[in-house]
């Protein structure tokens, strides 16, 4: 395709989307038409290093041959049975995922928000049936600055005005405490508290890591008060932080893991609640479900994802490349960068607001062939696919360095 045709189809694609897709996003002006590994190509044939990886849903890169093969084979067999019948892919998938998490039971769903909603329902049912909390009194503690998805119940415990404004009334039963403050969390616990729901690293908030002793303290406190610890590892899990779960990095085992994003290999939405039967077993037939949850295509892809993770190769790679990335990024502090945070191959970079907005930095990065996403005004996030090469990573930081120099004038 010629560059001219490409440019024309780019404008046309953006115009069609602007006119007919709801305006709930503000995408960068790039129209992607294909991807391979850590790279995507736009309709004009320009290549970009994908440093967002669909918010870590594409941890294994675009078109990973093992995942694509698993999907293709299953496409030709059967894709959907509903849970009214058994299918031959679900059992192997849930067994492998449970083993990966060192738990014994999995509730398969589709999107991350559904995993969160399911975790909330399970925690409440556990509270009433096992802990003995009086009906409709269950309380779940969350953290300020959280991001757990976009459903009406989940936004009920968000502090982000954009997520909440004009979407009420809200679901009761949640209490929000400062993130990283274990004493505040313990003080909020009462007899009706059934669960604490946290992101081990707050991704959308700007890749915020709590103090090193926070999650271990939360684990100890929740155990002592007979409260479930639910870790939302939808973005932090499955290799991104240099471990299978970020909880592994801090030596913590939650009662329930919430997984999504990379669990579907960037091919199909696959999410899950993973825990032990003494908790997940509270659900009885008919009490919860999903037409697509646990479908054979999702299970086949999910099983292939678990097989990639079971060797530890991706976790080790994310750890090694992450150290390289974080070290390089820290050298930019003082030259337009105010702070760098991260774990594994996941970084939040605060840009000096005097230089420009995160959005401006992302636009300039795009012109240089790097796709990244801003959050909260002046922060940009980097989370390239784990298959990225070390030299490509260095090159991406070079581009950021050049953008900052450009902005400094
Ligand atoms: C993305 C995300 C979700 C929601 O997942 P969706 O698939 O978009 O519904 C929930 N929790 C965290 C931590 C996330 O990053």
């Amino acid at each position: 395709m010629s560059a001219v045709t490409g440019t024309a189809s780019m404008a046309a694609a953006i115009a069609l989307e602007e006119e007919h897709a709801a305006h709930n996003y503000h995408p960068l002006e790039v129209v992607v038409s294909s991807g391979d590994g850590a790279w995507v190509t736009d309709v004009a044939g320009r290549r970009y290093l994908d440093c967002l990886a669909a918010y870590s849903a594409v941890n294994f890169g675009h078109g990973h041959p093992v995942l694509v093969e698993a999907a293709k084979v299953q496409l030709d067999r059967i894709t959907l049975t509903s849970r009214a019948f058994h299918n031959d892919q679900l059992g192997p998938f849930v067994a492998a995922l449970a083993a990966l998490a060192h738990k014994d039971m999995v509730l398969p769903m589709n999107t991350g928000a559904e995993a969160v909603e399911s975790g909330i329902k399970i925690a409440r049912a556990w509270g009433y049936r096992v802990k003995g909390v009086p009906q409709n009194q269950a309380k779940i503690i969350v953290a300020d600055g959280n991001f757990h998805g976009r459903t009406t119940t989940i936004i009920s415990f968000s502090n982000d005005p954009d997520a909440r404004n004009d979407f009420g009334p809200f679901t009761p039963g949640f209490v929000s405490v400062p993130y990283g403050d274990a004493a505040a969390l313990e003080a909020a616990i009462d007899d009706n508290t059934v669960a604490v729901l946290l992101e081990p690293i707050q991704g959308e908030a700007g890749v915020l890591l709590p103090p090193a002793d926070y999650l271990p303290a939360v684990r100890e406190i929740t155990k002592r008060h007979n409260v479930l610890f639910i870790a939302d590892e939808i973005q932090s899990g499955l290799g991104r932080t240099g471990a299978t779960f970020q909880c592994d990095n801090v030596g913590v085992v939650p009662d329930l893991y919430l997984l999504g994003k990379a669990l579907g290999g960037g091919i199909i939405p696959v999410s899950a609640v993973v825990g032990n039967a003494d908790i997940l077993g509270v659900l009885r037939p008919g009490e919860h479900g999903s037409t697509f949850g646990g479908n054979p295509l999702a299970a086949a892809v999910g099983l292939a994802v678990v097989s990639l993770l079971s060797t530890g190769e991706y976790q080790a790679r994310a750890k090694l490349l992450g150290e390289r990335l974080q070290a390089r990024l820290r050298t930019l502090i003082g030259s337009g960068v105010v702070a760098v945070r991260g774990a594994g191959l996941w970084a939040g970079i605060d840009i000096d607001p005097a230089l420009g907005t995160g959005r401006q930095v992302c636009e300039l990065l795009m012109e240089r062939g790097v796709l990244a996403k801003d959050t909260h005004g002046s922060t940009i996030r980097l989370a390239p696919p784990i298959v990225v090469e070390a030299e490509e990573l260095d090159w991406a930081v070079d581009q950021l360095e050049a953008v900052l120099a450009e902005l400094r004038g």
Side-chain angles (χ1 to χ4, degrees):
M1 178 189 290
S2 76
V4 174
T5 322
T7 308
S9 56
M10 171 176 142
I14 291 176
L16 272 180
E17 213 180 286
E18 281 291 306
E19 192 174 350
H20 299 291
H23 294 174
N24 55 327
Y25 279 91
H26 178 36
L28 290 175
E29 300 249 317
V30 57
V31 180
V32 172
S33 57
S34 65
D36 182 21
W39 294 82
V40 297
T41 304
D42 75 5
V43 288
R46 277 199 64 181
R47 295 178 80 229
Y48 304 82
L49 188 65
D50 181 0
C51 287
L52 180 65
Y55 305 89
S56 293
V58 186
N59 275 0
F60 309 101
H62 297 279
H64 191 293
V66 169
L67 304 182
V68 169
E69 180 61 17
K72 282 184 173 167
V73 166
Q74 193 57 41
L75 271 175
D76 286 334
R77 285 182 180 149
I78 190 163
T79 52
L80 188 59
T81 55
S82 88
R83 295 288 303 278
F85 315 123
H86 295 280
N87 73 70
D88 66 357
Q89 299 299 306
L90 180 58
F93 166 55
V94 291
L97 181 57
L100 182 77
H102 305 291
K103 299 287 189 189
D104 56 31
M105 203 171 258
V106 172
L107 171 72
M109 297 294 286
N110 309 285
T111 64
E114 287 174 305
V116 175
E117 290 273 355
S118 303
I120 290 167
K121 287 175 70 176
I122 290 162
R124 286 176 170 179
W126 174 87
Y128 301 130
R129 295 170 189 176
V130 179
K131 183 168 175 170
V133 170
Q135 270 302 315
N136 296 324
Q137 300 300 308
K139 183 169 122 180
I140 295 177
I141 298 173
V142 299
D144 297 349
N146 70 72
F147 180 85
H148 297 284
R150 300 296 198 167
T151 64
T152 47
T153 284
I154 293 172
I155 62 163
S156 296
F157 52 87
S158 167
N159 320 109
D160 178 357
D162 287 341
R164 289 170 58 96
N165 278 353
D166 292 336
F167 299 129
F170 300 112
T171 307
F174 301 95
V175 175
S176 190
V177 297
Y179 187 62
D181 183 343
L185 186 143
E186 181 162 21
I189 292 178
D190 64 23
D191 290 347
N192 294 336
T193 306
V194 296
V196 169
L197 166 63
L198 295 173
E199 297 158 88
I201 292 176
Q202 288 192 330
E204 297 306 299
V207 193
L208 297 187
L209 281 82
D213 57 358
Y214 177 62
L215 296 170
V218 171
R219 176 66 286 188
E220 187 278 318
I221 291 164
T222 48
K223 203 166 260 172
R224 184 153 42 78
H225 289 276
N226 194 25
V227 165
L228 302 180
F229 181 6
I230 307 176
D232 180 347
E233 294 253 19
I234 290 167
Q235 197 165 161
S236 58
L238 308 182
R240 173 57 55 192
T241 64
T244 303
F245 305 111
Q246 171 59 13
C247 282
D248 296 339
N249 281 332
V250 292
V252 159
V253 179
D255 297 298
L256 297 175
Y257 291 104
L258 307 180
L259 303 176
K261 292 203 164 100
L263 192 55
I267 294 177
I268 181 170
V270 185
S271 70
V273 182
V274 185
N276 282 336
D278 57 345
I279 300 163
L280 269 172
V282 297
L283 288 181
R284 298 182 288 235
E287 291 183 338
H288 191 58
S290 161
T291 303
F292 285 89
N295 72 74
L297 180 59
V301 172
L303 177 61
V305 165
V306 173
S307 80
L308 292 184
L309 286 166
S310 60
T311 67
E313 176 197 337
Y314 286 89
Q315 295 89 324
R317 188 179 172 85
K319 186 171 185 327
L320 205 69
L321 289 176
E323 280 160 11
R324 187 182 181 113
L325 175 68
Q326 313 285 345
R328 280 269 347 251
L329 288 174
R330 277 195 296 271
T331 67
L332 302 182
I333 293 173
S335 329
V337 168
V338 183
V340 174
R341 294 172 300 276
L345 204 45
W346 195 19
I349 305 155
D350 294 341
I351 304 296
D352 181 353
L355 276 193
T357 62
R359 173 82 184 189
Q360 282 173 308
V361 171
C362 289
E363 282 167 353
L364 292 169
L365 279 173
M366 182 184 79
E367 283 172 21
R368 292 173 169 276
V370 175
L371 295 183
K373 175 77 175 83
D374 56 296
T375 185
H376 294 281
S378 57
T379 300
I380 64 170
R381 285 175 290 181
L382 297 182
I386 299 167
V387 296
V388 71
E389 297 295 341
E391 299 70 36
E392 294 169 338
L393 213 48
D394 291 345
W395 174 81
V397 182
D398 291 343
Q399 304 317 304
L400 176 60
E401 201 168 356
V403 163
L404 295 172
E406 219 174 294
L407 286 169
R408 286 197 307 272

